[in-house]
Amino acid sequence: RLFSSSKSSRQLFEYFLFAAHGFLSALSSYVSNTAISGNIDAFLAMVEAAESQSRSQSENETDENEHFEPLMFEDVHALADAHSRMLNDILSACLQRASQHAYGDLLTSCLEVLLEFCTLIGDLVSRRIDENEAAAKLRTLWERWRGKVSVLVSIIFNFPPK
């Protein structure tokens, strides 16, 4: 059991772990819902429309003189190109815009503190660091992370609505 000799350090560890988990869950959910789902849903709707168009034209091919609209995807390469564009859109949506570069840096620094937290716990578990030293580092990491997240949250709440 980690921080068994200090109840306050144990409580801070559990609270930090809980807060970090919530932060990372919210961040991954946001990225998934905003960047990924929005682009994939639009791509799948386009593929479904192309499939419906292709099926409709296949069923109506009895009259050779009938004019058909060009297919949305002429061949598998056109579909692959559309898929590649969708993946690029997802990547672009995940990366910050130039005007949001400072916010992206702040988010990165929040994640870096969480990485240091994980490393600290790993060092404690493997006994590369003693509990007293780890407790002091834990408090320092918590204060750094809490400060960075507070600034990030206040910035996000002050974003103009879309």
Side-chain angles (χ1 to χ4, degrees), residues 24-37 93-94 97 100 107 159 162:
L24 291 173
S25 292
L27 178 63
S28 65
S29 177
Y30 172 80
V31 168
S32 175
N33 292 337
T34 304
I36 297 172
S37 292
C94 290
R97 295 176 185 89
Q100 298 173 334
L107 177 60
F159 272 162
K162 290 183 178 180

